Amino acid sequence: MKDFSTEISYKTSRSSGAGGQNVNKVETAVTAIWNVMESQFFSFDEKLRISEKLKNRINSEGLLQMTSSESRTQLQNKKIVTEKMLELVEKSLFIPNKRVATKPSKVQIQKRIDNKKKLSEKKENRKFRF
């Protein structure tokens, strides 16, 4: 996992919700901003992959923004939003293995057909005939 936290810039704002006067006077919400294409930590291909996977979170200027107002302290929110961003970018870089299509073996096919025949006979024997 690459630690690109030195490239992240932070902006603070007032949190919303419960908290009394603390919410009204202290800027505890933290917004992390990272420019994907200007990063020095990733190759061009990795930047393209990140941009493609996170296109709904990246704005028109190419900035990835995340906000945290979970905690009552600015420092804790900064830590939370940084961890979330690092984790999100790490997940976007993951390339899943290609699935190889397989056929069931002849023995498996035969077992399935035999099983169906047995079940059919069992149900047929339950019927009352005149």
Side-chain angles (χ1 to χ4, degrees):
M1 184 164 149
K2 295 182 181 178
D3 186 20
F4 58 92
S5 57
T6 54
E7 293 181 344
I8 300 173
S9 58
Y10 300 96
K11 200 163 54 168
T12 59
S13 60
R14 290 187 182 150
S15 295
S16 62
Q21 289 182 346
N22 190 57
V23 170
N24 299 331
K25 65 181 182 179
V26 183
E27 294 195 349
T28 56
V30 178
T31 302
I33 304 165
W34 178 56
N35 193 329
V36 178
M37 285 303 177
E38 292 183 7
S39 176
Q40 302 295 317
F41 288 90
F42 299 102
S43 67
F44 184 71
D45 292 335
E46 289 175 325
K47 291 176 192 177
L48 286 178
R49 188 175 296 120
I50 292 168
S51 297
E52 182 61 33
K53 290 271 180 97
L54 302 177
K55 62 184 171 191
N56 293 336
R57 292 178 170 263
I58 297 174
N59 63 15
S60 58
E61 291 118 40
L63 301 175
L64 175 64
Q65 292 185 329
M66 294 183 80
T67 304
S68 174
S69 59
E70 296 171 20
S71 177
R72 285 180 59 106
T73 63
Q74 195 180 95
L75 192 65
Q76 190 67 28
N77 279 332
K78 186 176 179 181
K79 184 180 173 186
I80 291 168
V81 78
T82 304
E83 287 174 3
K84 278 184 181 179
M85 188 174 279
L86 291 173
E87 187 178 314
L88 186 69
V89 171
E90 184 67 27
K91 282 183 181 177
S92 70
L93 287 172
F94 176 74
I95 305 169
N97 293 335
K98 297 278 185 192
R99 183 187 178 278
V100 180
T102 58
K103 282 193 331 188
S105 68
K106 289 182 180 179
V107 174
Q108 286 177 323
I109 294 170
Q110 193 59 46
K111 267 186 184 178
R112 184 179 59 85
I113 292 171
D114 291 343
N115 211 9
K116 287 177 80 167
K117 284 181 182 174
K118 283 180 186 176
L119 196 62
S120 174
E121 287 173 15
K122 185 195 299 184
K123 290 186 174 187
E124 191 65 34
N125 290 336
R126 290 178 188 162
K127 291 182 179 176
F128 180 76
R129 291 182 187 77
F130 289 100

